[in-house]
C-alpha cells in the first residue's frame, strides 16, 4: 500500500467558517456536531461556521472546535478517498485528533479531555505569556538568546521545532518580547503568534498537573495504526506512554521537524493535513523533499488526492485481479461460491459506480468490499498466501503510482 500519514493541525489554524464545506457534503457531520454541542454545552456548529472570531480564538473554545473540525475532516476523507494511513501525527492539540483517528480515543473521550485542557490552559495563561515564530535554522543562537533573557518567573525557551527554518519561542511576555527585539535587530524575521498564552513552556505546569488528573480517568485503547508523540517524535508504544506524552507536551517543545524526519525515514510518501488551513502542509514541505504533502481544506489538493486514488480504477483493477488469477481448485460448488459470486459482486459495484456517474456512498467501505471479494477469489483458487498479499498490495498501490 502507499505509505501515507495523516497530519492534524493545532491552535492557530482556526478560522470562522472552518469545516462548513465538509459539513455540507457529508451526511454524518450533523450527528458529529450535535454530539460536540451536547458535550461542550454550546452550539459547536455556530461557533465554527458563524463566529465570532474573538470567541473562536479563546483557548477554551478554540481547542474543542479544532478537534471537532479535524475529526470531521478525517471522516470525510475516509468517505471520499477511502485510504487509511500508516501513521497519524498532530501538532500540539492536533495530537488528540490523531488519537481519535486511530481509535485510541473515542471522539467523546477526546472532546471531554480537550474541553478540560482548554480551560486549564486558559486559567494558567492569566495574560502573562506570548509566543513568536522565528525564521532561522540556528538553534544554538536562539537557545543562547533565550538563556540571556530568561529570569526567575519570566522564562523564555524554544517551544517548537516546526521545520528546518522555523523555530518557536514561548514564555513570559516580557522575556519573549526581549528575545524578539534582539532577533529583529539581527535582521531575523519574527512573527508574533495569535495565541493567548505561553504554550509548551514551564508556565503551563499548573495546567499540565490538572490535565494529568483528567487523563488518569481515561482508558486508552490499541490504535489501528501508530500515532507519533509530540514530545519524542516517535510512535507511542503503549497507553502509559500516551498518558505521559499528553502531559509532557504541555510544557515541552513540539518536535514537528523531528516527526517529519521520522516519517520520511519510515518511507512515508504522502501526507494529508486533515483540518483547517495549510500550516502542516507548508511545514512538511519545508522539512522533507521525500514526502508529498496535501491539505484537504484546499479544494485543489482534495481534487488531486481523488485523482491519485481513483475509486473506479480500484474497482476495475480488483475485477481484473480476481478474473486473471490462475485457478487450482476444480470443485464446482466451491468455485461457484468462492469465485463466481464475488466476481459478480465486484462487477455490480463497477456497474453501480458507472451508473451513478462516480457518486460514492462510502469509498472506504467500497474499497474494503472489493478487497474482501478479491481475497475470497484468490483463496478459493488456492493462490498462495504470499501471492494473495502481493496482489492486494498491488491493488492499493497500482492506481497511485500510475497517477503520479
Amino acid at each position: 500500500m502507499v505509505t501515507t500519514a495523516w497530519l492534524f493541525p493545532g491552535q492557530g489554524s482556526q478560522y470562522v467558517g472552518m469545516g462548513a464545506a465538509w459539513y455540507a457534503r457529508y451526511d454524518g457531520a450533523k450527528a458529529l456536531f450535535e454530539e460536540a454541542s451536547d458535550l461542550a454545552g454550546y452550539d459547536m456548529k455556530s461557533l465554527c461556521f458563524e463566529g465570532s472570531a474573538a470567541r473562536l480564538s479563546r483557548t477554551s473554545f478554540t481547542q474543542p472546535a479544532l478537534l471537532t473540525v479535524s475529526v470531521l475532516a478525517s471522516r470525510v476523507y475516509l468517505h471520499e478517498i477511502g485510504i487509511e494511513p500508516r501513521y497519524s501525527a498532530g501538532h500540539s492539540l492536533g495530537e488528540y485528533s490523531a488519537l481519535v483517528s486511530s481509535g485510541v480515543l473515542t471522539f467523546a473521550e477526546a472532546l471531554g479531555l480537550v474541553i478540560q485542557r482548554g480551560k486549564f490552559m486558559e486559567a494558567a495563561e492569566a495574560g502573562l505569556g506570548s509566543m513568536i515564530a522565528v525564521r532561522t535554522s540556528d538553534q544554538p543562537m536562539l537557545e543562547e538568546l533565550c538563556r540571556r533573557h530568561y529570569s526567575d518567573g519570566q522564562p523564555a525557551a524554544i517551544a517548537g521545532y516546526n521545520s528546518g527554518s522555523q523555530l518557536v519561542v514561548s514564555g513570559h511576555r516580557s522575556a519573549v518580547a526581549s528575545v524578539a527585539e534582539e532577533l529583529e535587530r539581527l535582521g531575523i524575521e519574527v512573527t508574533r503568534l495569535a495565541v493567548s498564552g505561553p504554550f509548551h513552556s514551564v508556565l503551563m505546569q499548573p495546567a499540565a498537573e490538572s490535565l494529568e488528573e483528567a487523563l488518569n480517568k481515561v482508558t486508552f485503547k490499541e490504535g489501528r495504526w501508530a500515532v507519533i508523540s509530540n514530545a519524542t517524535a516517535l510512535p507511542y508504544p503503549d497507553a502509559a506512554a500516551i498518558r505521559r506524552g499528553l502531559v509532557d507536551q504541555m510544557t515541552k517543545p513540539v518536535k514537528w521537524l523531528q516527526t517529519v524526519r521520522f516519517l520520511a525515514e519510515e518511507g512515508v510518501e504522502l501526507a494529508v493535513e486533515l483540518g483547517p488551513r495549510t500550516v502542516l502542509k507548508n511545514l512538511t514541505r519545508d522539512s522533507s523533499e521525500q514526502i508529498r504533502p496535501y491539505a484537504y481544506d484546499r479544494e485543489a489538493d482534495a481534487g488531486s488526492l481523488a485523482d491519485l486514488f481513483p475509486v473506479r480504477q480500484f474497482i476495475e483493477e480488483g475485477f481484473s485481479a480476481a478474473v486473471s488469477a490462475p485457478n487450482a481448485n476444480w470443485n464446482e460448488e466451491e468455485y461457484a461460491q468462492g469465485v463466481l459470486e464475488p466476481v459478480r459482486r465486484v462487477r455490480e459495484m463497477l456497474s453501480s459506480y458507472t451508473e451513478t456517474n462516480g457518486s460514492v456512498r462510502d469509498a472506504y467501505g467500497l474499497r474494503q468490499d472489493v478487497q474482501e471479494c478479491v481475497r475470497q477469489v484468490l483463496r478459493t483458487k488456492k493462490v498462495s498466501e504470499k501471492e494473495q498479499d502481493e496482489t492486494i498490495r498491488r491493488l492499493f498501490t497500482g492506481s497511485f503510482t500510475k497517477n503520479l
Side-chain angles (χ1 to χ4, degrees):
M1 296 186 185
V2 179
T3 309
T4 304
W6 286 359
L7 312 179
F8 295 93
Q11 197 159 343
S13 288
Q14 72 275 2
Y15 64 88
V16 175
M18 63 179 183
W22 294 322
Y23 186 99
R25 67 180 194 252
Y26 177 59
D27 290 341
K30 185 173 184 291
L32 179 70
F33 273 77
E34 287 176 349
E35 182 180 8
S37 298
D38 289 343
L39 289 168
Y42 51 82
D43 188 336
M44 188 64 72
K45 180 184 174 186
S46 176
L47 174 65
C48 293
F49 298 172
E50 300 166 10
S52 69
R55 187 175 186 229
L56 186 59
S57 295
R58 282 182 53 191
T59 297
S60 57
F61 290 105
T62 306
Q63 297 195 9
L66 274 173
L67 174 73
T68 302
V69 170
S70 293
V71 169
L72 172 62
S74 67
R75 293 184 181 180
V76 173
Y77 182 82
L78 271 185
H79 177 77
E80 296 179 343
I81 306 298
I83 300 292
E84 288 186 330
R86 181 176 172 187
Y87 296 101
S88 59
H91 194 287
S92 187
L93 168 72
E95 195 167 307
Y96 289 82
S97 305
L99 291 166
V100 173
S101 76
S102 182
V104 175
L105 292 171
T106 66
F107 172 64
E109 289 168 338
L111 186 61
L113 287 170
V114 164
I115 289 170
Q116 295 179 81
R117 182 182 188 266
K119 291 177 179 177
F120 296 151
M121 292 174 72
E122 198 166 77
E125 292 162 10
L128 295 177
S130 64
M131 300 178 72
I132 57 173
V134 184
R135 180 62 64 178
T136 183
S137 59
D138 193 343
Q139 181 181 330
M141 175 274 297
L142 190 56
E143 289 173 341
E144 174 57 30
L145 284 183
C146 289
R147 279 194 294 268
R148 191 181 306 165
H149 296 284
Y150 191 114
S151 62
D152 289 342
Q154 295 190 359
I158 294 178
Y161 303 92
N162 278 352
S163 72
S165 60
Q166 187 186 90
L167 300 169
V168 174
V169 172
S170 179
H172 191 280
R173 62 171 182 263
S174 296
V176 173
S178 297
V179 172
E181 290 170 5
E182 188 159 351
L183 287 167
E184 288 173 332
R185 283 197 295 271
L186 294 170
I188 296 173
E189 180 183 344
V190 174
T191 302
R192 287 155 180 84
L193 300 182
V195 295
S196 51
F199 306 146
H200 307 290
S201 78
V202 294
L203 294 177
M204 285 290 113
Q205 186 59 41
E209 292 170 1
S210 298
L211 180 63
E212 185 170 16
E213 293 182 17
L215 288 166
N216 286 335
K217 301 174 184 177
V218 175
T219 299
F220 295 91
K221 295 168 282 295
E222 184 175 352
R224 298 197 303 276
W225 53 78
V227 178
I228 310 302
S229 165
N230 273 194
T232 66
L234 295 171
Y236 281 119
D238 52 40
I242 296 173
R243 189 174 286 108
R244 183 72 255 158
L246 293 176
V247 174
D248 286 346
Q249 64 142 257
M250 297 285 282
T251 58
K252 293 184 178 180
V254 174
K255 294 183 175 179
W256 192 255
L257 170 62
Q258 295 88 333
T259 293
V260 173
R261 287 176 173 170
F262 170 81
L263 293 174
E265 289 169 0
E266 289 294 297
V268 169
E269 303 163 75
L270 184 146
V272 184
E273 182 171 5
L274 295 169
R277 300 196 189 275
T278 63
V279 171
L280 300 185
K281 171 189 174 179
N282 296 336
L283 293 179
T284 301
R285 185 171 53 202
D286 289 347
S287 303
S288 172
E289 296 181 354
Q290 173 184 314
I291 300 174
R292 298 179 62 179
Y294 295 84
Y296 211 54
D297 195 28
R298 293 296 179 262
E299 186 176 347
D301 281 14
S304 295
L305 287 163
D307 291 340
L308 284 172
F309 300 107
V311 175
R312 179 188 177 91
Q313 191 170 329
F314 184 87
I315 305 172
E316 291 173 338
E317 292 180 358
F319 181 81
S320 176
V323 171
S324 64
N327 178 48
N329 185 348
W330 307 110
N331 183 301
E332 291 185 3
E333 184 177 349
E334 290 181 1
Y335 193 87
Q337 294 179 352
V339 176
L340 298 182
E341 176 58 23
V343 166
R344 181 191 64 78
R345 287 171 54 199
V346 175
R347 186 188 293 114
E348 287 182 352
M349 292 180 211
L350 183 58
S351 297
S352 176
Y353 185 86
T354 302
E355 289 169 4
T356 57
N357 295 317
S359 175
V360 181
R361 177 183 58 82
D362 175 11
Y364 177 76
L366 191 151
R367 290 182 193 273
Q368 294 303 305
D369 287 347
V370 171
Q371 177 183 340
E372 180 183 332
C373 287
V374 173
R375 181 76 75 173
Q376 184 180 1
V377 169
L378 298 178
R379 280 198 302 264
T380 303
K381 288 185 173 183
K382 297 187 176 180
V383 175
S384 71
E385 287 287 340
K386 181 178 180 181
E387 183 56 32
Q388 287 182 42
D389 292 342
E390 179 61 22
T391 299
I392 297 300
R393 186 195 67 78
R394 288 197 301 266
L395 181 60
F396 275 91
T397 59
S399 60
F400 172 75
T401 54
K402 289 176 183 177
N403 290 288
L404 279 175

